[in-house]
Amino acid sequence: MAPFKLLLLSIILQLAATDLNYTVIAVDIRGMGQSTIPSSHDFPSATASEDLKGTYLVAHDKGNGQSAALNAKYRSLVKRAAYTEYVLPGFGYERVFSPELGVTGLYQNWQLAFFSVPDAAQYFTQGQEKQMLAWYFWHASYSGNSVISQDYLDRYTREISKAGYLRSGLEYFNTAEDDAVFFNSTFIRRPTIRESGSSTRRRSGPGTRGVAGADLGPDLAESQLRHRSEGWALAR
Ligand SMILES: *[C@@H]1O[C@H](CO)[C@@H](O)[C@H](O)[C@H]1NC(C)=O
Ligand SMILES: *[C@@H]1O[C@H](CO)[C@@H](O)[C@H](O)[C@H]1NC(C)=O
C-alpha cells in the first residue's frame, strides 16, 4: 500500500503467498485506485491507518507510515509487520526530503518536496500524469521505462487521472509534519549500530519489543543506513 506505487510488488507478493496459503490483499489506500476519496480529505498516517486493520502487513514506501501507525494504535490486530523502503517522519524522513541533502538533479527524490505542496504539484502535473510516471520509473532505476509495459503505464495513468485521485495521492506527501508529531509521541528512539563489513545489526534497548513478538523495525536496517534514519520501536 502506498500512493503512486507499483501494483507489481503486490502481484509478486500474491504469487509468493498463494503457495503458502496466505490470502494477500493489496490495499488501495484511501483516495487511490478503486478506493473512494474520503470526504474529510484526511490523509495523515494515524488517520489513514484506520482503514487497514488486518493481520500480517507488508508495507512499502509511504504505506509504512500507515502500517506503523496501525501497529502503534492497535497492537493486537497485527501479528507481524515488514517494512520496506521508507523512513518515518520524525526519524529521518525530513533529511531525505530536505533540499540541503543534495537534490542535485533528475535522479534525486526532489518530488518529495514538490508533491508536499499539493496546490503547485497538481497545477503542474495535471494532464501530464503519464510523463510524471515515466520520469518516476526512470529516475529510480534507469531501465524503469524498459521493464514497465505500455499497458501498465496506461493503466497506472488512467488510475491517477480520475477526478480527484491525483490530488489524493499528492496529499499523502503533505503529511510529514502531522506524521512526525504522531510518531515522535508514539515510538521511542533506539540506537542503530553499524558493524564492519556489509552487514548491519540493530541493538534493542530494554522494553522495545514490538507487536505480538514482532520486533518492529529490523527490516529497516538497510534502508536506515542508506537514508540515515534513526532506529525506532514501540514505546512499551
Ligand atoms: C496449502 O493448502 C493445500 C490444500 O489444503 C495443501 O495441500 C498444501 O500443503 C498447503 N501448503 C502449505 C505450504 O501449507
Ligand atoms: C521529532 O523528533 C526529532 C528528533 O528529536 C526532532 O528533530 C523533530 O523536530 C521532531 N519533529 C516534530 C514535528 O516533533
Side-chain angles (χ1 to χ4, degrees):
M1 55 199 163
F4 300 155
K5 272 289 176 173
L6 301 179
L7 288 172
L8 218 53
L9 186 69
S10 335
I11 293 165
I12 292 165
L13 284 170
Q14 284 180 54
L15 291 175
T18 304
D19 276 351
L20 299 170
N21 294 339
Y22 284 92
T23 301
V24 173
I25 300 170
V27 181
D28 280 339
I29 51 177
R30 51 172 66 192
M32 294 280 98
Q34 304 300 311
S35 294
T36 54
I37 300 172
S39 54
S40 60
H41 287 274
D42 253 2
F43 295 97
S45 294
T47 313
S49 67
E50 292 286 336
D51 304 336
L52 302 171
K53 295 173 185 171
T55 49
Y56 288 64
L57 288 173
V58 178
H60 180 60
D61 201 84
K62 290 189 81 66
N64 284 289
Q66 293 137 43
S67 179
L70 185 74
N71 276 318
K73 291 167 65 180
Y74 308 103
R75 291 208 196 176
S76 60
L77 290 181
V78 179
K79 292 182 185 166
R80 289 280 188 277
Y83 297 91
T84 64
E85 205 203 320
Y86 191 61
V87 288
L88 291 181
F91 290 77
Y93 180 84
E94 297 80 355
R95 277 169 291 187
V96 179
F97 171 102
S98 165
E100 300 87 74
L101 193 67
V103 176
T104 52
L106 278 173
Y107 302 113
Q108 305 294 327
N109 289 311
W110 51 265
Q111 84 281 2
L112 297 177
F114 178 49
F115 291 172
S116 77
V117 189
D119 285 335
Q122 180 179 2
Y123 181 75
F124 288 111
T125 309
Q126 198 132 41
Q128 311 269 3
E129 288 88 349
K130 190 179 281 185
Q131 287 89 335
M132 189 268 277
L133 290 172
W135 166 79
Y136 195 89
F137 294 139
W138 168 77
H139 101 287
S141 64
Y142 304 96
S143 62
N145 287 322
S146 315
V147 292
I148 301 292
S149 72
Q150 191 61 41
D151 172 56
Y152 184 79
L153 187 59
D154 289 343
R155 282 165 50 205
Y156 206 156
T157 302
R158 209 162 47 237
E159 288 303 324
I160 67 170
S161 302
K162 291 185 303 193
Y165 281 72
L166 173 66
R167 178 66 185 215
S168 302
L170 296 169
E171 291 291 351
Y172 282 100
F173 294 83
N174 190 26
T175 61
E177 179 74 17
D178 282 347
D179 282 3
V181 169
F182 177 77
F183 292 129
N184 273 3
S185 68
T186 308
F187 293 110
I188 56 171
R189 278 156 222 288
R190 68 181 199 187
T192 301
I193 52 171
R194 184 179 196 161
E195 297 186 337
S196 58
S198 58
S199 68
T200 317
R201 230 165 21 110
R202 311 187 53 218
R203 183 175 54 218
S204 299
T208 57
R209 293 292 292 172
V211 176
D215 196 13
L216 288 184
D219 294 333
L220 282 178
E222 185 57 29
S223 90
Q224 277 166 346
L225 201 58
R226 266 193 292 130
H227 296 306
R228 290 191 270 153
S229 175
E230 294 164 39
W232 52 275
L234 282 171
R236 72 187 147 80

